[in-house]
Structures are given as structure tokens and as C-alpha cells.
Amino acid sequence: MATVQAVLSALEVFEQAPAKAAIDQANTWLQDFQHSSDAWSICNVLLLSPDAPLGAKIFAAQTFRAKVTYDLVDMSTPDLLQLRETLLKALETYHAGPRNILVQLCLAISGLALQLPAWEDPVQDMIDAFGRNPASVPALLQFLKVLPEEVTTNMKIPITDDEYKERAAKLLTANSTKVTDLLAMYLQAPGATYAVQTQIFEALGSWLAAGEVVAMSLLNSPLITYSFQALSSEELFDAAVSVVCDLIHETQEVEDNMPVIEVIVPQVIALKPKLVEYKDDPEKIRGLARIFAEAGEAYRSLLLHHPETFFPIVEAIGECSAYPDLDIVPITFSFWMRLAQSIGKRSSVSPLFIDAYKALMGVIIRHLHFPADIATLTGQEAENFRSFRHVMGDTLKDCCYVLGTEKCLVATYEMITAALSRGPNVSWQEIEAPLFAMRSMGAEVDPNDDQAVPKIMDLIPSLPAHPRVRYAALLIISRYTEWINKHPEYIPYQLQYISAGFEDSDQEVNAAAGQALKYLCQDCKRHLVEFLPQLHSFLGTMGVKLVQDDKVQVYEAIAYVISAMPMEQAAQSLRTFSFDILGRVHALATKTTPASKDEIVHIAHDLENLEVMLGVIQSFGEHLPSACQNTHQEAWSVFEPFIVKYGAEYSICERATRVLRLGLTFFGPVTLPILPSVLHRMVSSFETTGFSSYLWLAGKVIGRFGNEEDPALRAAFKEVYERSSNKLVSILQEKPPQMIPDVLEDYLQMLLQMIEFTPDVFFPSPAFAIAFRVAMVSLTLVHSDIVFAALDLLRSIFTHDSLAPTSQPPPPKFPIYAAAIRPVVEQEGQELTGYLLSGLVGDFPEESIPMVVTIFRVLGGLWPTQLHAWLPSVVQQLPFTAAPEQIKASFLADINSSIQSGEFEKVKYAIRNLHRASRKARERRRAGPLDG
């Protein structure tokens, strides 16, 4: 039994900052204590003891709140009423604070009120107990603030939907008028301090946010006027902003709330001069921006129908958008987006809104300017600014939506030409910002536009050579490639500009050039066929100067062009580029001296480039062009000795197997004669290196060609299966499974292909017992994909038709399969059930539970006696922290009942109940004993 001293000793550990093990031990002890029935009385003693340390009292209050959330289910009504008195007495003791104790007690009382129907009118009782004495009013206000929050957001409280609806209506809806009248009375009371007034606004905001205060009910209340007046108070400003925003939000159903809106809007508009008054106070501007944006969004339809009255709100939002603090500007973006959507649905709109969006476009482009000295930004600041520019770009699209893309582009173009006209003294920022804007607007461009975009394309070659300008211009080309496809006469000039970008000393410009070339070739591929020789020679001369990321984009671009060619011509072109790479692979494989690190890196890059090309082209179909007829054999004759020599280099393994996978897709069935050799090389390389990618490729081969009956190929499947399984056994003798997740995942994925396509290889083999055990061990990993694969494999084994044939006589191989499965299950079954239940109450993903249910259902149906014998010891070993004793007992009873009655479908409910209960227990512990 826990004691007060034991709790104090455990809490002292956290103040001494000892080793992590001691903290973990104390943490676990305190969590176990919070689950116990002793916690009620001990926490009460701690709270009411004047000598207890503050930390212990806070822990006691937190424990009351946690136990009210989780542990009231089995308590009788008299005990609950006694608990109410305990909590109210504690609140009386701490009515003046400390605040963290006060909040926890108010949350506990709120949670109890929700679960205790016998407490007839908690709100009135709290008002009677704490609302008469000015000293205890802050405690009442704290309760009124947290009550709607706890009732509407604490989903952990175990209560049915019907119980919740009935109780919430009694606690909140029935008391809303009473509460708002009370808050108004307190607000007008003489001597009300700023602290109390802040609490009043917070409580009102909480009831508004919960949807329990009808806006119309406040029409004649002083609360609206007082909320706006409080915006003039330094001490009340933040609380007033929040409550005004809540008030406006609750009136967004315009037709139902017009009388209240008529009270609110003049007061909102009257705040507009404050934007000038507070221009040097960003926090004040932030608050005002929130109010104006909330009003703009809520009253959007009124703005459009009655601009003569409501347009000052739009002007105020425009001023907030123009404010130099970029943390404040985005508060307005949602308004501009929604207003643009509304304008788009109207046949006509006031010129006022057209002018507002014109001004907004200018404001956003000014905000897009980099600082005069970009070096003044830290690395993170620069990254944040770049990210925010893309957000601002979305608002430019809203401007296009209202004004028309062509007008926006022309206006932006004129900004650049005006800047260029000022001569060499113009800053690069004045050109780069409008270019970025053009790029953002590119998504809205009409590919047939013949007014604005030609001007932009003609302008690009004459732009200054500053790297930031060139970078922006290249990305415009990337964005406008659909337009260029309709205007191919611009392609030669764009290629020249892109080529110059590759020669720039700035790596970001190189990358932008690669991106531009990729999209140009992707969208304009048919027009670029005639330029392919030029691209080939470009690779020959510039390729060695390009960093790999840029070179990849060039190869991807070339692949798009090849994909647009007639098949024979495409095949010949692909052969040309591929054999350039394969020639270098062959040269390295036949080199008599070992390759250097740089050579390994370069050849891995070559393989990546070939992979990218094959990834774009995919296949020429079932009938290969003549240029490709024997290429697969030539390619494999290069790859096999290369893998033998360099396959122990991880980067080579990764790239080579990915190229081979795409090659199998490209060539298809014509590769059948070489597949036994490919599989032999894969398993041999896996044995040598332990690299999982060799298993990955073997699995892909089995999945693609597993139905082929060729004896040599099926013998190769068996060789891969058995040799890889034996290798995995030796690896697991040296390393725990947690250290080889990639190997386990690729092995399991290969087995999933085998059980589907080659069961005649999978089941009768001596490797089957190894495969089964590896699947079991994989259940201990905290890797969702691996757990899914292991459970999928086990489910496929347990549900295989050979165990319960539906036709008589069964297929001839079914008895062989069943004879292989049964002894393995009987030998490993107890350990398997342990792994399954540990994962169920532990780290298994939620989506995996149906697979666990299926496995248990089959175990109950085909191995009922064994399952009955296995479960008690397995269940007993489940940790108490995840599966309390009562839950374990209930699970065992449910499973045994379903086995004895033969109603195996009921296994599902037993499994789900155990999982649900353990999840709740873990969620409770995850919060930690000292979390509020």
C-alpha cells in the first residue's frame, strides 16, 4: 500500500536530477500510484496538508483530474457525491491559487459534473458556493472558463453519446443565459480588477467557442460594448481581442444575427484609426488584424452587397496586409482568398474591390523583396522567408482570380521594365521580386495567351546576369513550359538561356537550369526531338562539369524527349545514351586495378542517370524494336561481372539493383533465359554482403515471373529461398532483428510473393520453418511496414486453403502444404501468440488489428485445444502497464467462451476489447504523472 511519504519520496527524485534510470523508475511508480485506489485518500491528505511541498500539492491536483477522467466508472453514486465534496473543499482551500492547482481542481470538478447525473445543477451550486464572496469569484470564473472546454474537448471521459448529449445540455445550454448575465454583472461591479475582467472575457470566450451562447442573446447585454471598450486598455487588450473575435465568429450566420451585426460592425470600423495610432506596436496591430480579418470573413456577403457600409473593413485589412511585419501579414490571407472565391461567383463587382486587389498585388510584390543585404538574415531566417514567399505567391493567385491573369502579368512586367529603365543602379531585388510573382502566377496562365506572356519571354534574355535574377527567370521558364509548347518558336532562345544557366558559377542557378530543362523537355518533348543530338553533345562537353543533381535532371529531360520519338528511333536513341553509361560500367568492371572512391561515386551516379531514363521511358511494349532485341543479354553480360567485383559497395548495390528492376520491366518476358543467372547472382551477393536490395530484386523477379513453369527458373526460386533463409539465420545469430529492419522487410516481401506465386516452392522447403520464425521475430520491431508484412505473411499461411480445403478431393499438393504448416504452428504457436498479444497491447499499428483477429480466429478453429493451453501463461506475461489484470481476465474469459461455443467470430470482439482497453491504459501513462 502506498503512503504519503512514499509519494513524497518519489516526487523528490525529480528535484534531485539523478540518473535517467532513477527518473524512469520514479515515473513508473507514480503512474502505478495514480491507477490505485489509495490515490484518492493520499492526494486529499497532500492537498489539505499545510506542510506538504508545493510540487506534491500540484501532483495531487493533477492526480484528481486524471482519476476523474479515467477511474469513475466503477464508483457508486454516494462515493461520487463524497468525491464532489472533497473536491469542493479543496477548491475552497485553494481559491486564491496557486493557479496550476486551481486549474486542475476546476478541470476535475468539470469532469465529475459531466459524469454525475445525481449532481442536479453544478453551475448554480458553484455560483452559490464561490460567487458571493469577491475573494472566491476568481475560482468561480476559472471553473466557468474550463467547464465548456472540458465538456466539449475531453474525449477520454468514458461516457455514451446519449449520456453526453443529455448532460452537456444540462450543464451548458441550460445555463448559458445565467452565465452571461453573471459575467455582465461582475464586469460592471465596482472595484473589478483587471485580473478579474480578463477572467470574465476568457470565460465568455470559452462559452462562445463552445457554441453555447447564442449571439442574439447578447444584443442587450453590456458585454459587447465592454469587450470593444477593453481594446483601449493595455492590460485587457489581448483578452478583449480574443473575445471580440469569438463574438464576430458566432454571428457569421448573417441572416439570423443581423441586429447584433449592426451593433458590432460600427465598433469594428471605429477601430480603423487605431492602425495608425498603434503603427509602432506590432502586437497591437496583430490583435487588430485578427479582428478585421475575422469580420471580413464572417461578413463577406455583406461586404459584397453593401460596400458603401462595409468597405472600410476591407481597407483596414489592406492596411494590415501592407504592414511590414511579415508575421502579421498572413493573418489576412484567408480573407483575401475567400473574398476572391466569392467575387468569382458574381457576374459583376464594385470597382472598389478591383482597386483593393490591385493594391494588394503591389503590396505582396513589395513584401517579396529580399533585404538589401541578404547576409543580414540567418540561415533559418532566410529559409523561413523563402517558404513564406510561396505562401504569398498563393495570394497573388487570388489577385489573378479577381483581376485576370493577363492584367496581373502585364502590371508585373511593367514593374520590371520601369526598374530596368533606371539603368545600372537598379537593385536586383526590384527585378527578382516581380519575376518571382510571375512564377507564382504561372499556374493561372492561359497556354494560348498572346498578349502578356510573349512580352515576358522576350524580356528574359535581356535581364541582368545577377544569379538571383537568372535563378528566378529560369524558374519562370519551368513554370511556363505548357505555354512554350504552344509557342515552339521560343524554344531555341530558351535552350540558349538554360544552357548559359548551367555555366553559371552559382549552384542554385545550375539547379534551376536543370529543372527548366526537365520541364521544357517534359511538356515540349515533340518539339525537342530535333534538338536531341545537341543535348547529347551537351552532355559530352558539359556533363563532367555538372553536379549530380543537375545531371539527373538533364538525363530525365532527355528521356522525355526520347519518349516522344517513333519507336525505332526512340530505341536507337535510348541505346546510344545507355551504352555510353554501360561502356563506363564495363570499363570499371574490367579494370585491372581496384577502383578509387571517386570512381565508385561516379559510376554510381552513372547508374542513377540510367535509372532515371528507364523510369521515364518504362517500356516500348510487348514487341521490342530491333535495336533492343539482344540488349538485355548484352547489359547483363556487363552487369554480372560488375556486381561480382563491386557489389559489396553499398551504393553500387543500391543503384545496380534498381537499374536491373527497371530493365526487367523494360524488356519483360524476353529476359526469361537470363533470370536463373540473375537470381543466382542476387542470392550469392546477399550471402556475401547481407545487403537487403539483393533480396528486394529477387522478390520483384518472383512477383513478375512466379507463374512461369520453366524448371530452371523454379529451381532458381528454390535456391534463392533456401540460401537467403540460411543466410538470415546466421545474420540473426550475430545481430538483433532491430539492427536489420531493411533485410527483414525485403525478405518478408519476397516471401509474400512466394506464397502467392510459388507455394510449391514455399511450403515443402526446409526453409519454411525459418520463414515462419523470421515472420514471428519481425513482430517485435517498431516498424509499421515490417509488422504489416509479417502479419500479412502469417495471415496468408493460416488462411491457406490447404488447411481447410473447400473441394474434395483437394488439389494434389494441398496435403503436402498442410503437412508442412501444421507441425510448425504446433511448435511455434505459443511463442507466436505471445508476440501477437504483446504487439496488440504495444506498438502494432491500428490498421493491423484485423489481421491479428484473423490469425486468432483460425487458431481457435483449427488448434482450439492448443490455443486454450497456450493463452493463460502468455496473457499473464503481458505488462500490467498495458493490460491491467481485470482486462487480462476478461480477455481470457471471452476467448475461452468463443472456443468452447465454437463461435469463433466472437474472437474479434475479445481482441478488439483488449486492444481498446490497452490503448486507453497507454494513453493515460503517456501523459505522465506530472503532466497537467
Side-chain angles (χ1 to χ4, degrees):
M1 177 179 171
T3 63
V4 170
Q5 188 53 50
V7 174
L8 293 174
S9 298
L11 290 168
E12 284 174 6
V13 171
F14 293 90
E15 297 174 4
Q16 297 163 358
K20 183 177 183 299
I23 291 178
D24 289 344
Q25 184 179 358
N27 196 59
T28 300
W29 190 92
L30 289 169
Q31 286 183 325
D32 291 341
F33 165 74
Q34 286 184 321
H35 284 72
S36 70
S37 56
D38 297 335
W40 294 112
S41 57
I42 290 176
C43 286
N44 192 38
V45 170
L46 286 171
L47 269 179
L48 300 182
S49 169
D51 300 326
L54 176 61
K57 294 179 177 181
I58 294 171
F59 170 73
Q62 291 169 337
T63 300
F64 269 124
R65 193 268 173 112
K67 292 190 75 63
V68 165
T69 297
Y70 295 105
D71 293 345
L72 299 189
V73 177
D74 298 323
M75 291 179 66
S76 65
T77 298
D79 287 342
L80 292 173
L81 291 171
Q82 181 57 47
L83 172 61
R84 177 189 65 183
E85 299 310 312
T86 299
L87 292 172
L88 291 176
K89 183 178 179 183
L91 186 62
E92 187 178 328
T93 303
Y94 290 97
H95 70 267
R99 185 177 182 279
N100 42 12
I101 295 178
L102 181 65
V103 169
Q104 292 298 318
L105 290 173
C106 287
L107 288 167
I109 292 168
S110 300
L112 178 63
L114 182 60
Q115 299 174 79
L116 182 55
W119 192 357
E120 283 293 329
D121 194 347
V123 172
Q124 186 60 55
D125 289 349
M126 292 294 290
I127 293 170
D128 292 342
F130 297 94
R132 314 296 186 198
N133 182 352
S136 60
V137 164
L140 171 63
L141 291 172
Q142 185 63 55
F143 168 76
L144 292 176
K145 176 182 181 292
V146 304
L147 177 65
E149 295 170 357
E150 187 73 352
V151 169
T152 57
T153 65
N154 190 349
M155 301 304 162
K156 297 172 185 174
I157 292 176
I159 188 171
T160 68
D161 288 346
D162 289 340
E163 290 169 337
Y164 173 80
K165 288 174 185 174
E166 181 180 345
R167 198 62 185 153
K170 189 151 193 171
L171 287 171
L172 301 179
T173 311
N175 285 301
S176 60
T177 302
K178 180 192 300 181
V179 167
T180 52
D181 288 347
L182 181 76
L183 295 177
M185 181 189 75
Y186 284 150
L187 199 57
Q188 298 174 89
T193 63
Y194 287 131
V196 167
Q197 290 175 326
T198 297
Q199 280 192 286
I200 292 167
F201 288 133
E202 289 174 348
L204 176 59
S206 180
W207 284 72
L208 284 165
E212 293 297 339
V213 173
V214 179
M216 282 295 292
S217 68
L218 300 176
L219 182 59
N220 298 313
S221 168
L223 287 171
I224 295 178
T225 301
Y226 271 91
S227 297
F228 277 94
Q229 288 175 350
L231 292 168
S232 300
S233 164
E234 186 74 30
E235 293 82 1
L236 300 176
F237 182 82
D238 290 339
V241 165
S242 293
V243 81
V244 166
C245 287
D246 288 333
L247 281 166
I248 293 170
H249 187 78
E250 286 306 304
T251 59
Q252 60 185 317
E253 301 295 336
V254 171
E255 293 180 3
D256 298 335
N257 293 291
M258 209 52 223
V260 186
I261 293 171
E262 289 172 351
V263 172
I264 290 174
V265 166
Q267 298 186 74
V268 170
I269 292 173
L271 294 172
K272 189 166 173 275
K274 298 282 187 185
L275 291 171
V276 176
E277 181 183 339
Y278 294 146
K279 68 179 189 301
D280 297 323
D281 187 341
E283 290 310 308
K284 289 285 199 315
I285 300 295
R286 183 192 308 276
L288 293 172
R290 286 179 57 198
I291 292 172
F292 287 126
E294 187 72 56
E297 289 198 50
Y299 308 143
R300 201 162 62 250
S301 62
L302 295 173
L303 295 177
L304 291 169
H305 285 96
H306 305 286
E308 68 284 352
T309 302
F310 290 89
F311 195 74
I313 295 176
V314 179
E315 292 175 323
I317 297 172
E319 289 183 46
C320 295
S321 297
Y323 194 69
D325 188 330
L326 296 186
D327 286 336
I328 292 169
V329 173
I331 293 171
T332 67
F333 287 171
S334 179
F335 162 75
W336 292 117
M337 178 192 71
R338 295 180 189 280
L339 181 63
Q341 291 170 343
S342 298
I343 288 173
K345 297 172 185 175
R346 296 174 62 84
S347 55
S348 62
V349 65
S350 166
L352 292 172
F353 294 103
I354 302 299
D355 292 341
Y357 275 94
K358 284 180 181 175
L360 176 65
M361 184 177 71
V363 160
I364 295 298
I365 293 176
R366 280 199 300 277
H367 286 321
L368 288 173
H369 282 63
F370 275 101
D373 183 4
I374 197 170
T376 59
L377 297 178
T378 65
Q380 189 59 52
E381 286 172 342
E383 184 60 34
N384 291 344
F385 180 62
R386 286 191 178 96
S387 298
F388 183 55
R389 294 176 102 212
H390 291 287
V391 176
M392 291 193 283
D394 290 336
T395 301
L396 286 173
K397 294 173 191 173
D398 299 329
C399 295
C400 290
Y401 195 61
V402 174
L403 303 174
T405 304
E406 184 182 312
K407 288 182 180 177
C408 290
L409 287 175
V410 168
T412 312
Y413 166 83
E414 288 171 352
M415 290 182 191
I416 297 174
T417 54
L420 290 173
S421 69
R422 297 207 303 277
N425 294 326
V426 65
S427 70
W428 65 265
Q429 289 90 340
E430 291 179 77
I431 299 170
E432 190 275 344
L435 287 174
F436 182 93
M438 288 176 175
R439 172 186 163 199
S440 296
M441 298 173 190
E444 311 300 319
V445 165
D446 179 358
N448 296 308
D449 174 84
D450 59 1
Q451 296 296 319
V453 182
K455 293 181 179 179
I456 295 168
M457 291 300 160
D458 291 337
L459 177 68
I460 285 176
S462 63
L463 291 171
H466 190 283
R468 304 317 308 160
V469 173
R470 178 165 280 177
Y471 175 84
L474 284 165
L475 291 182
I476 287 178
I477 295 174
S478 299
R479 183 59 67 88
Y480 285 59
T481 48
E482 289 185 27
W483 182 90
I484 297 170
N485 185 45
K486 295 286 186 75
H487 302 78
E489 63 274 16
Y490 283 92
I491 288 177
Y493 307 104
Q494 307 298 2
L495 282 174
Q496 287 177 14
Y497 195 80
I498 291 168
S499 181
F502 282 117
E503 295 174 11
D504 197 287
S505 59
D506 188 294
Q507 286 193 355
E508 287 191 352
V509 175
N510 302 156
Q515 185 173 326
L517 183 61
K518 179 177 78 173
Y519 286 116
L520 188 71
C521 291
Q522 184 175 341
D523 289 334
C524 312
K525 53 192 173 189
R526 300 192 186 283
H527 300 300
L528 280 158
V529 169
E530 63 184 277
F531 293 95
L532 193 60
Q534 185 179 330
L535 292 170
H536 186 252
S537 61
F538 170 80
L539 268 178
T541 55
M542 283 294 297
V544 292
K545 300 178 183 178
L546 299 179
V547 299
Q548 176 59 11
D549 286 347
D550 300 338
K551 200 183 294 186
V552 163
Q553 299 207 81
V554 174
Y555 272 98
E556 187 176 353
I558 289 168
Y560 284 119
V561 177
I562 292 174
S563 71
M565 292 177 161
M567 190 178 295
E568 285 292 345
Q569 188 184 353
Q572 191 59 54
S573 296
L574 178 60
R575 183 184 175 92
T576 298
F577 284 94
S578 300
F579 272 53
D580 286 349
I581 293 171
L582 289 176
R584 292 191 287 274
V585 173
H586 177 68
L588 197 64
T590 55
K591 186 182 175 191
T592 55
T593 56
S596 67
K597 283 187 177 179
D598 282 346
E599 287 176 314
I600 293 293
V601 169
H602 288 146
I603 210 70
H605 288 167
D606 274 330
L607 292 173
E608 182 183 13
N609 298 333
L610 181 54
E611 175 193 344
V612 165
M613 292 187 76
L614 291 173
V616 170
I617 295 168
Q618 291 289 315
S619 172
F620 288 144
E622 291 184 14
H623 302 291
L624 289 173
S626 57
C628 297
Q629 286 298 329
N630 298 311
T631 311
H632 64 287
Q633 292 172 325
E634 296 175 66
W636 179 238
S637 70
V638 171
F639 268 104
E640 183 173 26
F642 177 69
I643 292 173
V644 169
K645 194 166 184 179
Y646 296 109
E649 294 282 349
Y650 184 75
S651 60
I652 298 298
C653 161
E654 286 291 293
R655 291 297 170 196
T657 50
R658 289 160 73 130
V659 170
L660 289 172
R661 159 78 195 290
L662 290 167
L664 291 171
T665 301
F666 180 84
F667 290 107
V670 302
T671 60
L672 281 171
I674 66 169
L675 289 181
S677 173
V678 172
L679 289 170
H680 175 79
R681 176 49 44 211
M682 292 304 105
V683 74
S684 297
S685 297
F686 175 65
E687 284 180 325
T688 304
T689 66
F691 293 161
S692 66
S693 293
Y694 294 119
L695 294 182
W696 172 79
L697 182 60
K700 298 299 181 186
V701 172
I702 296 168
R704 176 72 172 80
F705 301 101
N707 286 326
E708 299 292 337
E709 294 296 332
D710 177 65
L713 185 56
R714 300 199 83 72
F717 293 154
K718 186 173 189 292
E719 179 191 16
V720 167
Y721 179 30
E722 294 180 355
R723 288 175 63 183
S724 64
S725 296
N726 290 329
K727 173 63 178 178
L728 194 49
V729 169
S730 67
I731 293 174
L732 286 169
Q733 288 171 347
E734 298 173 4
K735 298 177 180 178
Q738 289 75 15
M739 289 185 65
I740 55 165
D742 53 340
V743 176
L744 291 174
E745 181 174 8
D746 287 327
Y747 177 74
L748 289 168
Q749 292 294 345
M750 182 182 78
L751 297 183
L752 284 167
Q753 301 302 323
M754 296 199 75
I755 197 171
E756 181 175 356
F757 296 108
T758 63
D760 56 317
V761 176
F762 180 69
F763 287 117
S765 169
F768 174 66
I770 298 172
F772 193 94
R773 182 143 195 88
V774 169
M776 286 169 42
V777 170
S778 299
L779 297 175
T780 63
L781 273 66
V782 189
H783 288 261
S784 295
D785 290 343
I786 297 174
V787 169
F788 275 120
L791 288 172
D792 197 5
L793 180 65
L794 290 165
R795 178 182 60 179
S796 298
I797 293 170
F798 278 97
T799 58
H800 196 273
D801 290 343
S802 64
L803 291 173
T806 55
S807 62
Q808 291 298 330
K813 292 184 180 178
F814 272 21
I816 300 172
Y817 301 166
I821 296 170
R822 289 185 180 279
V824 173
V825 171
E826 286 162 15
Q827 180 178 341
E828 306 287 359
Q830 181 162 358
E831 198 169 346
L832 172 63
T833 55
Y835 284 133
L836 290 170
L837 291 179
S838 294
L840 187 74
V841 302
D843 296 309
F844 278 5
E846 188 75 25
E847 299 82 0
S848 69
I849 306 308
M851 289 192 276
V852 179
V853 169
T854 299
I855 295 169
F856 268 96
R857 195 169 60 228
V858 174
L859 281 170
L862 299 181
W863 288 274
T865 306
Q866 293 90 329
L867 182 61
H868 184 77
W870 294 334
L871 277 177
S873 61
V874 167
V875 171
Q876 196 53 46
Q877 290 172 20
L878 296 177
F880 165 80
T881 53
E885 293 303 321
Q886 182 182 351
I887 300 302
K888 293 179 184 178
S890 175
F891 172 72
L892 277 175
D894 291 345
I895 287 282
N896 289 334
S897 171
S898 71
I899 292 173
Q900 289 164 7
S901 66
E903 297 176 281
F904 301 115
E905 286 301 315
K906 290 187 176 178
V907 167
K908 175 170 70 174
Y909 303 109
I911 295 284
R912 291 200 175 280
N913 288 340
L914 174 64
H915 175 63
R916 198 174 294 118
S918 72
R919 187 177 60 193
K920 284 185 179 178
R922 283 181 288 126
E923 283 176 356
R924 178 174 182 178
R925 286 182 172 272
R926 200 173 292 132
L930 305 182
D931 293 343

